Amino acid sequence: MTNETTRTYDVIVIGAGPVGENVAERARAAGLSTVIIERDLIGGECSFWACDPSKALLRPVVARADASRIPGLDPAVAGPLDVDAVLAHRDKMSSYWKDEDQVDWLNSVDVDLIRGHGRLTGPKQVAVQTSDGDTIALTARHAVAISTGTRAALPPIPGLDTVRPWTSREATTATKAPDRLAVVGGGVVAVEMATAWQALGSQVTMLVLENRILERMEPFAGELVADELREAGVDIRFNTTVSSLTRKDNNVGGDGEVEITLSDGGQLAVDEILLATGRAPQTHDVGLESVGLTPGDWLTVDDTFQVTGVDGGWLYAVGDVNRRALLTHQGKYQARIAGTVIGARARANNEPIDTAPWGPHTATADHTAVPQVVFTTPEIASVGLTSHEAEHSGRRIKTVDYDLSQLAGAHQYGEDYRGRARMLIDTDRNTVVGVTFAGPGVGELVHSATIAIAGEVPLDRLWHAVPAFPTLGEVWLRLLETHRG
């Protein structure tokens, strides 16, 4: 028998990943009663299937590559990785796929939790179907925030439904390295997982539709990563698509090899195939139709993360689901703003936020200063515009490049340091609008670049930000010197 109960809260959050958690915490900190709904693990994709497990797989690979360049250490790190130890550490970093700590945190900030599938049923109305078959009807006094994230987008390949392909989830949680792994795609997930599993013992073949990897970043970044992947033994095939797929054993649970027919008519046999072919919004079953929106669509928002096209200003979409920047740290940034806005609007009786005495709260970083690190060998770190984007921005841009191997700090990573930095300058405003670093250890440089761009720091002031010697941070001095000539 199905039981139905009704509850009312100030704020309802659908989706308890890091984004939803932050929306809920900020709303609760504003004094609003808040409930969060989740049908899977509290902590979401990042904690259990993306950020944490993937970096746990990659860190030993990157550390070994760094150590192998240091005189006196290379013989000690030349051997294969201890796969069991790496996977055990991955499991620990993923909290063994248990979310008790996350639940404890929600309790500590006084946010209620309902486990189940939440769907909009009308303005400010949400119905939750619990695993017990009960239905809980919720009403929001002020706001509903959708933070359901994304899922793997799979291409329409003939035979796909018979091969049980890996998505990013299977790639980060696999319990053993397949002997042969095909990776379809050339983006961040593709290159990171190719890096990890090749180092863990798989023979990896990358099938890339485009003519380069990391296509949305500076070309030199993808070239350096491709060189390292090839040196590690990865077979990269550009301008290649998959025409059809077959798994020899199609029984459920079978482990026969996957036969791949390629666009050029060639054949490839592997043990597993990873489809790293993009993301789609998790909005197909959250009740969008009940408020006049289309299920399965990305949710368009303004700079306070209110969903456009919905009357009343009560519906918010925060994180990957709004497609502004599909990165956990950006989603958490959005969440901090959205939660603050919800609280401010509630106190102002839903008047426009910019008329409130505490001033406006709007997002700007999603447009101008989105940092990203690709944890490959070498690392890639970028923020702001790329050269291609700058060319189409209508601004007058100067490009400044520097060979990172010329830095004294780079030699601390070993004599065979390969890396490059690029800075894009808006010559009319005399500010930095884009930076890309490629090389060992550059991930720690990206925040300084983010500050320079987000703060619109004039180049004349950057001259007085003195980098420590000998560090990779000295690249800022060298870029400025190169710019001045």
Side-chain angles (χ1 to χ4, degrees):
M1 174 182 244
T2 299
N3 298 314
E4 184 165 333
T5 58
T6 302
R7 305 178 192 174
T8 299
Y9 289 88
D10 291 324
V11 180
I12 300 169
V13 180
I14 304 176
V19 174
E21 289 176 317
N22 274 268
V23 174
E25 187 274 334
R26 289 296 168 116
R28 188 68 192 93
L32 303 179
S33 62
T34 305
V35 63
I36 196 165
I37 303 161
E38 179 56 60
R39 63 181 178 182
D40 213 324
L41 294 174
I42 311 305
E45 202 76 15
C46 183
S47 298
F48 299 105
W49 299 284
C51 316
D52 289 343
S54 68
K55 302 316 167 277
L57 291 174
L58 287 159
R59 182 57 194 152
V61 184
V62 174
R64 182 177 66 172
D66 288 345
S68 68
R69 298 183 182 92
I70 304 298
L73 280 180
D74 51 331
V77 298
L81 294 174
D82 183 334
V83 177
D84 290 340
V86 173
L87 296 182
H89 177 62
R90 182 271 318 269
D91 295 350
K92 180 179 179 181
M93 292 299 294
S94 303
S95 300
Y96 305 101
W97 293 276
K98 299 180 186 298
D99 62 2
E100 288 90 345
D101 289 346
Q102 303 275 2
V103 174
D104 288 344
W105 179 82
L106 285 176
N107 290 333
S108 74
V109 296
D110 199 22
V111 171
D112 286 356
L113 167 65
I114 300 176
R115 291 188 183 270
H117 180 197
R119 299 182 81 256
L120 294 168
T121 56
K124 298 185 181 180
Q125 304 295 313
V126 175
V128 183
Q129 190 73 32
T130 72
S131 58
D132 297 329
D134 296 334
T135 300
I136 302 174
L138 302 175
T139 298
R141 295 187 186 92
H142 297 293
V144 176
I146 297 176
S147 301
T148 48
T150 60
R151 56 186 171 83
L154 303 182
I157 302 172
L160 179 63
D161 57 343
T162 70
V163 301
R164 300 178 302 282
W166 280 11
T167 65
S168 55
R169 283 196 169 198
E170 289 77 18
T172 57
T173 60
T175 57
K176 64 177 182 179
D179 291 337
R180 300 164 299 173
L181 173 65
V183 176
V184 181
V188 175
V189 171
V191 296
E192 287 191 346
M193 290 299 95
T195 298
W197 287 109
Q198 180 72 31
L200 291 170
S202 297
Q203 174 55 57
V204 175
T205 302
M206 292 187 68
L207 307 175
V208 185
L209 174 62
E210 297 83 11
N211 61 7
R212 62 186 178 92
I213 61 175
L214 298 177
E215 190 182 38
R216 296 183 180 179
M217 306 187 89
E218 295 285 7
F220 67 80
E223 291 166 4
L224 284 167
V225 173
D227 288 345
E228 293 268 0
L229 286 170
R230 288 193 184 98
E231 290 177 16
V234 175
D235 178 9
I236 306 177
R237 305 185 189 185
F238 293 113
N239 302 306
T240 301
T241 58
V242 177
S243 297
S244 65
L245 296 168
T246 305
R247 190 181 283 272
K248 283 189 175 180
D249 181 358
N250 290 329
N251 295 325
V252 175
D255 57 359
E257 69 181 16
V258 178
E259 294 182 343
I260 305 171
T261 301
L262 303 174
S263 53
D264 61 5
Q267 298 285 322
L268 177 66
V270 296
D271 299 290
E272 299 292 351
I273 180 170
L274 164 61
L275 297 178
T277 48
R279 308 293 295 180
Q282 289 268 32
T283 61
H284 58 288
D285 194 19
V286 293
L288 295 184
E289 67 280 1
S290 70
V291 294
L293 300 175
T294 303
D297 278 0
W298 300 94
L299 295 177
T300 303
V301 296
D302 63 18
D303 284 344
T304 67
F305 304 103
Q306 275 192 355
V307 176
T308 59
V310 176
D311 292 337
W314 58 273
L315 184 61
Y316 293 75
V318 192
D320 287 3
V321 75
N322 63 38
R323 208 182 192 179
R324 286 166 66 110
L326 276 65
L327 295 160
T328 298
H329 47 273
Q330 290 298 125
K332 292 166 72 174
Y333 160 78
Q334 295 178 10
R336 293 189 291 271
I337 290 174
T340 302
V341 165
I342 290 168
R345 282 185 170 134
R347 292 195 298 273
N349 296 317
N350 287 320
E351 294 177 7
I353 189 65
D354 55 7
T355 67
W358 41 82
H361 304 275
T362 58
T364 60
D366 293 342
H367 303 302
T368 60
V370 177
Q372 181 173 14
V373 179
V374 185
F375 294 88
T376 46
T377 55
E379 284 184 340
I380 308 298
S382 67
V383 60
L385 300 177
T386 64
S387 299
H388 177 76
E389 292 166 339
E391 289 173 5
H392 295 83
S393 70
R395 310 183 196 197
R396 292 198 300 170
I397 299 291
K398 179 179 179 180
T399 300
V400 183
D401 288 331
Y402 193 78
D403 181 353
L404 288 173
S405 70
Q406 300 302 306
L407 297 173
H411 290 281
Q412 306 303 320
Y413 285 81
E415 296 180 359
D416 186 26
Y417 189 102
R418 286 177 286 180
R420 186 172 171 185
R422 172 167 290 177
M423 178 172 68
L424 304 177
I425 298 169
D426 183 325
T427 56
D428 291 326
R429 302 188 66 187
N430 203 36
T431 59
V432 180
V433 294
V435 180
T436 298
F437 303 111
V442 299
E444 299 302 331
L445 291 174
V446 74
H447 192 58
S448 58
T450 304
I451 292 171
I453 294 173
E456 299 180 350
V457 182
L459 296 186
D460 290 344
R461 290 303 306 157
L462 281 181
W463 271 102
H464 300 282
V466 181
F469 180 88
T471 67
L472 291 178
E474 194 182 10
V475 68
W476 283 104
L477 172 60
R478 303 308 173 201
L479 285 168
L480 290 170
E481 287 177 336
T482 303
H483 164 55
R484 286 198 173 182

